[in-house]
DNA sequence: CCAAAAGTGTTTGCTCTACACCCATGG
DNA sequence: CCATGGGTGTAGAGCAAACACTTTTGG
């Protein structure tokens, strides 16, 4: 079998002459809206699984880094750029796609609550929608498994890392931050302990501004600009 | 460009007609021998990087699961089967291989100290050798970066998971186990605290046998058979 | 009996948890 | 002045770290 032979650099004596799997990226985009953790899904238009919901994703360009492909797919589907992206896992069971061998590199993304997301039918023909994590439709391929794992990892990261900020606007109140944690972890937290822990971590700083609403106005915070770099440094996944 | 078109299922109307990256697996095989943490490397015979040392690895078969490919490469290089294997990360920078686009799924493996490893020139033409982690030769591709990350992850896992047993024979003494931890973490640990922690974790059980040598004989332990399953369950990486 | 490694408890500091009331604002 | 959410401190328990001597065997 001689395939892909025209993409081969003839000066390099190595055996590239085999059929290759297709490589895709899939993105698990999380956001917190309407008090719930939600995941972005798109409706498939073509078989297999036509009409079913699936993770946004697509083929990796031949000159495109993997994370760039994930960022591109996310941007195409939602218009969101610059979101937090992290490689999750690579799924490659031979039968995971009925069309043939497709290996997919899954990324998870955190979308700030105030990001203007163009969903509900983006310019890509496919319809895109947010679904609450506990009310997912039937999913194509092995995407249910992928989402379940992404959720585990998100919860886990939330406990030892400062990644929760990525789901909030640039400035936020401590109560808003706590609510995000509670929604994702699925349990309620003690206000005083939460504030103490977060402040001791020394990754957010108070601003001279307040959010006004019902009740006493709440001080606004932002994460320290250099804490962003630190979150990356602490990452266990490069 | 119409490539790979003969592998396509014609009943499936989807665009597979694009060039594809090659997909490989690379294995970072750790072992503890001669009091040091070591990594298995093979010497490349062909360009690029002919003569340089590299991680064992190779192409993924079209019907082969990713982990199976990693296990196969490891077995071909060392004869070791059934070792602990865990997916590490997928590397896909467009320029990481001068021959063209090669995406590699890296796995790390833990080889028990008593496993009969056929290295030093296996039946595969390439020579294979263990290298101490702190005395690595120049490495091909981005393999130095991959090993650095694998080491970080190994150290991290050792602290919150019971993975250290995978580097020891089926039965071992607590001192041997402690030595493995010390070698990998690069620091010495308090004997009493170490024993208390390990025993409280309730994953190993004492046997009615002793290892005799210089000094007082040491009780042998093994990890509980069902603890193996539990280690897998605790895994954060499916 | 001596060398060598195995084995064993207690104290102390610290971190995490549980818990209840006053404060500032808008209507 | 009242309803609403924001903001604050302390005591007790459980956990982790520091630390030194006795025991068993082989030579």
């Amino acid at each position: 079998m001689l395939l892909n032979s025209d993409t081969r650099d003839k000066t390099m004596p190595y055996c590239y002459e085999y059929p290759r799997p297709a490589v895709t990226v899939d993105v698990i985009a999380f956001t917190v809206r309407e008090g719930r953790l939600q995941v972005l899904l798109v409706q498939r238009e073509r078989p297999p699984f036509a009409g079913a919901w699936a993770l946004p994703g697509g083929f990796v360009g031949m000159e495109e880094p993997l994370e760039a492909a994930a960022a591109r797919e996310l941007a195409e589907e939602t218009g969101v750029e610059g979101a937090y992206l992290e490689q999750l896992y690579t799924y490659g069971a031979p039968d995971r796609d009925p069309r043939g061998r497709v290996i997919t590199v899954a990324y998870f993304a955190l979308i700030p609550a105030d990001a203007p997301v163009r969903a509900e039918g983006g310019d890509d023909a496919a319809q895109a929608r947010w679904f609450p994590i506990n009310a997912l439709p039937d999913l194509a391929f092995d995407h249910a498994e992928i989402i379940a794992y992404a959720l585990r990892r998100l919860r886990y990261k939330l406990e030892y890392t400062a990644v929760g900020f990525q789901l909030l606007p640039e400035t936020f109140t401590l109560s808003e931050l706590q609510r995000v944690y509670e929604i994702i972890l699925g349990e309620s937290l003690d206000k005083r302990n939460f504030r103490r822990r977060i402040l001791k971590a020394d990754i957010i700083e108070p601003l001279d501004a307040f959010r006004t609403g019902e009740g006493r106005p709440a001080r606004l915070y932002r994460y320290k600009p250099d804490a962003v770099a630190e979150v990356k440094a602490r990452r266990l996944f490069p």
Side-chain angles (χ1 to χ4, degrees), chain A:
Chain A
M1 271 212 259
L2 294 183
L3 296 175
N4 285 292
S5 46
D6 61 340
T7 63
R8 184 190 154 208
D9 178 350
K10 297 293 189 293
T11 66
M12 290 297 183
Y14 207 81
C15 44
Y16 258 37
E17 324 304 331
Y18 294 100
R20 299 174 173 190
V23 180
T24 60
V25 289
D26 284 311
V27 179
I28 305 95
F30 288 110
T31 200
V32 173
R33 316 237 159 155
E34 301 156 19
R36 302 199 284 186
L37 180 62
Q38 314 221 20
V39 179
L40 185 75
L41 299 177
V42 300
Q43 193 162 27
R44 291 185 58 81
E45 298 190 305
R46 283 176 279 208
F49 300 102
W53 293 89
L55 292 170
F59 293 94
V60 176
M62 282 303 275
E63 298 295 331
E64 189 179 40
L66 294 172
E67 185 163 328
R72 173 179 56 73
E73 291 291 344
L74 182 62
E76 286 175 3
E77 228 59 76
T78 65
V80 174
E81 299 187 3
Y84 178 88
L85 261 182
E86 173 179 315
Q87 196 187 105
L88 182 67
Y89 197 77
T90 299
Y91 292 84
D95 60 350
R96 60 177 294 282
D97 190 318
R99 292 166 298 184
R101 189 72 191 277
V102 180
I103 291 170
T104 195
V105 186
Y107 280 81
F108 82 77
L110 302 181
I111 314 293
D114 65 335
V117 172
R118 153 174 42 81
E120 305 288 347
D123 59 17
D124 207 334
Q127 174 169 204
R129 257 195 60 194
W130 293 106
F131 284 85
I133 192 74
N134 47 14
L136 295 175
D138 277 345
L139 288 161
F141 306 108
D142 51 1
H143 289 184
E145 177 195 345
I146 297 177
I147 291 175
Y149 177 51
L151 178 61
R152 256 163 66 210
R153 177 111 132 218
L154 174 62
R155 285 185 171 147
Y156 177 72
K157 278 198 85 88
L158 212 58
E159 286 178 353
Y160 77 91
T161 255
V163 88
F165 311 100
Q166 308 285 351
L167 289 162
L168 285 169
E170 203 181 326
T171 69
F172 49 86
T173 69
L174 289 183
S175 295
E176 288 164 355
L177 183 59
Q178 183 175 349
R179 224 158 290 134
V180 166
Y181 274 73
E182 289 175 336
I183 288 166
I184 295 175
L185 298 178
E187 57 185 326
S188 56
L189 306 171
D190 180 83
K191 186 161 45 159
R192 281 166 291 192
N193 293 338
F194 179 81
R195 292 161 111 89
R196 188 178 18 247
R197 265 219 319 269
I198 289 288
L199 292 173
K200 192 172 46 154
D202 196 41
I203 41 185
I204 64 177
E205 58 188 11
L207 303 174
D208 285 330
F210 293 82
R211 171 151 307 156
T212 171
E214 286 188 273
R216 176 173 169 177
R219 168 155 250 125
L220 286 169
Y221 290 80
R222 67 167 177 196
Y223 39 51
K224 298 187 179 176
D226 35 311
V228 180
E230 211 222 330
V231 169
K232 296 244 172 196
R234 264 196 240 171
R235 276 211 239 179
L236 287 158
F237 318 97

